[in-house]
Amino acid sequence: MASKEEMSENIVSSEKCEAEGCDTQNNGSGEKTDVKQEDKPIESTDNEKLATTDKPVSDPGGDEKESAQTENCDSVSSETVTFKVIYNKQKYDLTFPMDKTVLDLKSHIQSLTGVPSAMQKIMFKGLAKDQSTLRDLKVTKGAKVMVVGSTMNDVLQVTNTPTAKELQEEEKAATSKEPLSTLKQHKKVLDKYGKPDDALPGVKNSKEPLPHFPLTGMYNKAGGKVRLTFKLELDQLWLGTKERTEKLPMNSIKAVVSEPLVDNEDYHMLALQLGPTEASRYWIYWVPAQYVDAIKDTILGKWQLF
């Protein structure tokens, strides 16, 4: 049995231990021993365990990022829009990728309509540029896209195809420098129909810009009245006769040739070459001389639209 002195020492030791923050444990002999908290094993908290045991999470990058970006691009490029293409009063329902260009669209329209892509004008809120995409143009579902242009058959039907004999005479004239208006094929036309009553005044040795109104008072080889209207905003020449008006893209006209009329130098005879050979030339008589250079410059692209 512990003596009073031992009991007193235990009480003092216990009070001291409590003051220093230690626990008391039974030592198995019925006596309590003092154990300081700093000597006890410290258990890790949940957050500490996570910090020490969890592996670092790898940041998706490199090939994974590139793969994700590629998939995203593919989804964008595969986006399509359904709209209507209208050409010559005919309608075509078309589904086309949003990121394809107008030039790509022209190639597809050529397979539908037969109009060469180089002779097409795409109209959507104005004239669409070849390099623009459908997304750039903001083409939406159900939108209407207009196509302006002529097939080669339409263009060539406008012309009065010369005979082989007439072509030989023109070649002969080019070699001998004989005036075109004195060749049999042209002289016959000029003599038969004479000067039109409504011919615009002509001015020799003068150069003037195109007027703001159509050029009239001229006729073709068949004696049919001809009207020339220049639609610069559409890059087109409208060739009008009594029967029809043919809308010709400027770049479909391969050449423009002209020559003053003998004894009437205030006027020219002028030809629009609508195909690859001279057989496709469309002749116009009594063109006022002062406008000839402007006609050539406009058709052949030596002008700028501001």
Side-chain angles (χ1 to χ4, degrees), residues 244-292:
R244 63 186 298 182
T245 296
E246 193 67 39
K247 300 176 181 180
L248 304 174
M250 299 288 190
N251 59 11
S252 70
I253 302 174
K254 307 305 180 183
V256 181
V257 297
S258 70
E259 189 176 289
L261 298 177
V262 174
D263 299 328
N264 287 282
E265 287 80 7
D266 292 347
Y267 296 90
H268 281 225
M269 52 182 293
L270 180 145
L272 306 174
Q273 185 167 319
L274 305 179
T277 67
E278 294 181 358
S280 63
R281 286 180 175 177
Y282 184 90
W283 286 100
I284 303 172
Y285 303 89
W286 299 96
V287 179
Q290 68 271 25
Y291 298 131
V292 169

Side-chain angles (χ1 to χ4, degrees), residues 165-184:
K165 183 178 180 180
E166 290 174 334
L167 286 175
Q168 290 176 357
E169 289 180 358
E170 287 192 17
E171 291 176 0
K172 180 181 178 181
T175 304
S176 63
K177 301 300 180 182
E178 183 179 351
L180 290 173
S181 59
T182 62
L183 293 178
K184 183 178 179 180

Side-chain angles (χ1 to χ4, degrees), residues 15 17 38 46 76 91 107 109 141 149 154 164 167 169 179 204 231 235 238 246 250 253 262 265 275 286 296 305:
E15 291 175 349
C17 183
E38 61 186 18
D46 290 341
V76 171
K91 297 181 180 180
S107 297
I109 290 175
K141 182 179 179 181
D154 290 337
L167 286 175
E169 289 180 358
K204 183 172 62 174
K231 294 289 185 178
D235 194 23
W238 289 12
E246 193 67 39
M250 299 288 190
I253 302 174
V262 174
E265 287 80 7
W286 299 96
K296 291 180 179 180
L305 181 59

Side-chain angles (χ1 to χ4, degrees), residues 73-282:
C73 289
D74 289 342
S75 64
V76 171
S77 61
S78 62
E79 184 180 355
T80 60
V81 62
T82 300
F83 55 95
K84 291 186 181 296
V85 171
I86 302 175
Y87 170 70
N88 199 22
K89 297 182 180 180
Q90 295 185 10
K91 297 181 180 180
Y92 303 86
D93 290 320
L94 187 61
T95 300
F96 212 69
M98 289 286 289
D99 293 302
K100 289 288 188 179
T101 65
V102 170
L103 191 59
D104 296 326
L105 178 61
K106 285 182 176 182
S107 297
H108 189 74
I109 290 175
Q110 179 176 344
S111 65
L112 296 176
T113 64
V115 180
S117 58
M119 298 177 68
Q120 294 178 29
K121 296 296 178 186
I122 304 299
M123 307 299 297
F124 183 75
K125 299 178 181 179
L127 179 62
K129 297 181 179 180
D130 284 350
Q131 64 270 27
S132 299
T133 64
L134 299 191
R135 191 183 302 279
D136 295 334
L137 298 175
K138 295 181 172 57
V139 176
T140 56
K141 182 179 179 181
K144 294 181 180 179
V145 176
M146 305 294 295
V147 180
V148 179
S150 302
T151 65
M152 286 305 300
N153 288 337
D154 290 337
V155 172
L156 293 176
Q157 283 176 6
V158 177
T159 66
N160 295 306
T161 305
T163 63
K165 183 178 180 180
E166 290 174 334
L167 286 175
Q168 290 176 357
E169 289 180 358
E170 287 192 17
E171 291 176 0
K172 180 181 178 181
T175 304
S176 63
K177 301 300 180 182
E178 183 179 351
L180 290 173
S181 59
T182 62
L183 293 178
K184 183 178 179 180
Q185 58 170 316
H186 298 300
K187 189 175 185 302
K188 180 180 178 180
V189 174
L190 292 167
D191 290 344
K192 181 177 181 179
Y193 300 106
K195 181 180 177 180
D197 294 335
D198 58 347
L200 296 173
V203 182
K204 183 172 62 174
N205 299 326
S206 176
K207 296 182 181 181
E208 296 182 15
L210 290 174
H212 297 293
F213 50 83
L215 293 178
T216 58
M218 304 168 291
Y219 54 72
N220 57 25
K221 289 180 67 175
K225 291 294 183 69
V226 172
R227 179 180 64 257
L228 298 180
T229 306
F230 293 86
K231 294 289 185 178
L232 302 186
E233 69 279 7
L234 301 178
D235 194 23
Q236 293 178 355
L237 168 61
W238 289 12
L239 179 59
T241 61
K242 183 179 179 180
E243 293 77 19
R244 63 186 298 182
T245 296
E246 193 67 39
K247 300 176 181 180
L248 304 174
M250 299 288 190
N251 59 11
S252 70
I253 302 174
K254 307 305 180 183
V256 181
V257 297
S258 70
E259 189 176 289
L261 298 177
V262 174
D263 299 328
N264 287 282
E265 287 80 7
D266 292 347
Y267 296 90
H268 281 225
M269 52 182 293
L270 180 145
L272 306 174
Q273 185 167 319
L274 305 179
T277 67
E278 294 181 358
S280 63
R281 286 180 175 177
Y282 184 90

